[in-house]
Amino acid sequence: MTEAAQGRSRTAVVLAAGKGTRMKSALPKVLHAIAGRPMIHYPVRAALEAGAGRVVVVVGHGREGVEAYLRRAFGDRVEIVVQEEQRGTGHAVLVALPALASEDAAARVLILAGDTPLLSADEVRVLFDACDAEPKASMAMLTARLEDASGYGRILRHDGKVVGVREQVDCSPEERFIREWNPAVYAVRLGFLQEHLPKLRPNNAQGELYMTDLVAVAAAEGGVLDRAVDAASVEGINDRAQLAALDRRMLLGIARRHQLAGVTVREPASVEIHDGVEIGQDAVIERGVVLRGATKIGAGATLDVGCVLSDVVVDEGALVKPYSIATESHVGKKAQVGPFSHLRPASDLGEEAHVGNFVELKKTRLGKKSKANHLAYLGDGEVGDGVNVGAGTIFCNYDGFNKHVTVLEDDVFIGSDSQLVAPVRVGKGAYVGTGTTVVRDVPAGALAIGRARQENKEGYADKIKAMFKAKKAAKDAKK
Ligand code: UD1
Ligand code: CA
């Protein structure tokens, strides 16, 4: 690895112990989702992608949930330390130091906040690179500019050089006009942190230990390297309005990346393609489509208006017609779904299978070229190739206690409005007549028919109409 070649290891500390009071939520702030993932995911991933060998996350509020998520998403690539009491950003980094004790004093420690999801690995790498270029500097930091930087710590400069950061609440009236602000993204020499963090004192309006106080110390000892970053990348999230705004911004960025990779995204502002979704070339994503989780869309597939897919794999050339909902399912090559279909978990459509309007599948496999085109419920089914399931067919899979399987072998034909009372098997090529309730296995090649025999009474229609007409007249006369 290049960082090893440079002889200086890279580690990261992500601060995520704060409560996020302004979210007004039972959920810790860093677990609120952006583009389908808890926002803590992004800074941790950026640090890893930028070459941090280890990432230490400082947790506090709601720590069980945060830790559980990080374990699931990153395994042992992240380490957790607990900050019992939130005594400021400097204190949070101090709490993380023992976890870094085994590192060389020359190691570069990247410090990030857990609520800055739009920051990219490239923007973080700039800091590591700056440190490599000038190894004597104690610290490298990002800075950003806004017309009005209210709320942020302001950058203090002297003769053009960064000499400190002043928090909003500690600013003089003149300092409040400073437009350059501190995004709180730093790369600091470990030895410098070990020497100076324990000396921080809470001499400020909030009575906290400020990480930002180290900027002035670094300026006086070794120097501070500053790198400008676009303010949009480092905006933090404090309330749900900012959460929605950054969510939308990230979603637009994702849609744009797919567009530039050859996907037609008709109206990016109306779609929601989550982080991690994969889409092949020449796929078409129409208005209002939502793609969540580990969804994968094959080349040339079309997702028409209003489809919602969560953890679904759609193969090449498939067509999902408007307003279809699918979860944890697979749609085969050139298969067709919808409009208004519902694929519940573990549904699996074979190549060129068709599922039409108001058809619900659950844990059912439909073989190659099999069709269920209208108004059906197929639950716990194993359906072979070339099967035709007629309108209104129901797999009666549940007896109130247990679920049972319906098997339809290849080339079976199920007439409309039939019920298959599971467990039941219909053999290869068998034919089930319309309106049959199938309660016993049907042998291959047999015709199953189970309905009352029809009787026709010649000339009886007029008689029965006259009878009903007289009844109605008698009733009306009484009113
Ligand atoms: C901090 C910076 C400010 C900067 C701003 C950018 C300080 C003193 N100020 O202010 O200069 O402009 O970020 O967004 O550093 N945290 C802990 N433990 C604590 C306190 C905070 O883990 O004891 C975590 C929070 O969960 C959060 C991050 O540190 O993820 C930043 O804390 P926050 O209180 O939001 O700092 P700001 O006031 O925004
Ligand atoms: Ca903040």
Side-chain angles (χ1 to χ4, degrees), residues 207-227:
E208 292 185 346
L209 301 180
Y210 283 173
M211 175 62 205
T212 44
D213 285 353
L214 288 193
V215 177
V217 180
E221 187 189 315
V224 176
L225 307 169
D226 58 288
R227 295 289 181 270

Side-chain angles (χ1 to χ4, degrees), residues 89 151-154 156 165-172 175-176 182 186 204-206 208 210-213:
T89 50
Y152 292 116
R154 307 300 208 286
L156 307 178
V165 170
R166 186 93 71 225
E167 291 309 297
Q168 165 88 19
V169 285
D170 303 306
C171 274
S172 68
E175 286 167 341
R176 289 187 184 191
N182 167 35
Y186 325 86
N204 52 60
Q206 300 186 91
E208 292 185 346
Y210 283 173
M211 175 62 205
T212 44
D213 285 353

Side-chain angles (χ1 to χ4, degrees), residues 278-360:
E278 294 172 28
I279 311 179
Q281 200 173 313
D282 287 321
V284 177
I285 312 296
E286 292 289 355
R287 291 179 179 81
V289 167
V290 178
L291 304 179
R292 300 180 174 138
T295 293
K296 274 191 193 148
I297 308 299
T302 294
L303 304 183
D304 213 329
V305 176
C307 291
V308 181
L309 275 55
S310 310
D311 301 312
V312 174
V313 176
V314 175
D315 291 345
E316 275 168 48
L319 170 59
V320 184
K321 297 178 194 172
Y323 305 107
S324 295
I325 314 289
T327 307
E328 293 166 36
S329 292
H330 168 238
V331 176
K333 205 170 155 182
K334 293 187 182 164
Q336 293 191 19
V337 177
F340 300 103
S341 300
H342 189 186
L343 305 182
R344 291 170 51 207
S347 298
D348 180 5
L349 308 194
E351 222 176 295
E352 293 179 61
H354 287 190
V355 168
N357 41 202
F358 310 109
V359 174
E360 173 183 345

Side-chain angles (χ1 to χ4, degrees), residues 68-321:
Y69 174 74
L70 291 170
R71 284 273 156 271
R72 208 161 60 241
F74 297 102
D76 57 12
R77 289 188 295 165
V78 298
E79 293 160 57
I80 307 288
V81 302
V82 178
Q83 185 192 25
E84 294 288 353
E85 219 185 317
Q86 282 69 58
R87 293 172 51 203
T89 50
H91 181 250
V93 181
L94 185 64
V95 165
L97 282 188
L100 302 177
S102 62
E103 302 288 329
D104 192 89
R108 297 296 176 183
V109 184
L110 176 73
I111 298 168
L112 294 171
D115 61 355
T116 315
L118 263 45
L119 186 67
S120 72
D122 284 342
E123 289 159 325
V124 165
R125 214 174 273 122
V126 163
L127 290 185
F128 280 138
D129 292 346
C131 294
D132 289 341
E134 289 189 53
K136 287 210 187 86
S138 300
M139 175 191 291
M141 67 185 291
L142 295 180
T143 75
R145 282 178 178 277
L146 282 173
E147 278 303 301
D148 176 5
S150 292
Y152 292 116
R154 307 300 208 286
I155 304 291
L156 307 178
R157 288 184 182 266
H158 186 73
D159 289 340
K161 286 209 154 80
V162 173
V163 293
V165 170
R166 186 93 71 225
E167 291 309 297
Q168 165 88 19
V169 285
D170 303 306
C171 274
S172 68
E174 296 77 42
E175 286 167 341
R176 289 187 184 191
F177 286 109
I178 298 173
R179 291 173 182 169
E180 193 183 18
W181 57 278
N182 167 35
V185 183
Y186 325 86
V188 194
R189 216 164 36 78
L190 177 60
F192 179 84
L193 289 174
Q194 287 166 328
E195 184 183 347
H196 294 288
L197 271 177
K199 296 186 205 158
L200 284 180
R201 293 293 171 264
N203 299 325
N204 52 60
Q206 300 186 91
E208 292 185 346
L209 301 180
Y210 283 173
M211 175 62 205
T212 44
D213 285 353
L214 288 193
V215 177
V217 180
E221 187 189 315
V224 176
L225 307 169
D226 58 288
R227 295 289 181 270
V229 67
D230 188 349
S233 312
V234 279
E235 226 174 279
I237 292 173
N238 294 308
D239 58 38
R240 297 201 205 209
Q242 289 169 324
L243 178 74
L246 264 65
D247 183 41
R248 193 21 69 191
R249 208 188 296 158
M250 189 179 278
L251 291 171
L252 282 172
I254 292 170
R256 188 178 157 76
R257 282 199 291 283
H258 287 296
Q259 288 177 313
L260 298 183
V263 176
T264 295
V265 182
R266 189 81 56 200
E267 190 179 88
S270 77
V271 307
E272 197 174 310
I273 304 171
H274 283 176
D275 182 78
V277 168
E278 294 172 28
I279 311 179
Q281 200 173 313
D282 287 321
V284 177
I285 312 296
E286 292 289 355
R287 291 179 179 81
V289 167
V290 178
L291 304 179
R292 300 180 174 138
T295 293
K296 274 191 193 148
I297 308 299
T302 294
L303 304 183
D304 213 329
V305 176
C307 291
V308 181
L309 275 55
S310 310
D311 301 312
V312 174
V313 176
V314 175
D315 291 345
E316 275 168 48
L319 170 59
V320 184
K321 297 178 194 172

Side-chain angles (χ1 to χ4, degrees), residues 34-86:
I34 293 275
R37 300 191 195 278
M39 68 176 91
I40 184 72
H41 189 93
Y42 302 102
V44 171
R45 183 171 71 185
L48 289 167
E49 285 179 2
R54 305 167 60 193
V55 176
V56 177
V57 182
V58 182
V59 300
H61 278 282
R63 70 199 208 206
E64 296 82 8
V66 179
E67 184 168 357
Y69 174 74
L70 291 170
R71 284 273 156 271
R72 208 161 60 241
F74 297 102
D76 57 12
R77 289 188 295 165
V78 298
E79 293 160 57
I80 307 288
V81 302
V82 178
Q83 185 192 25
E84 294 288 353
E85 219 185 317
Q86 282 69 58

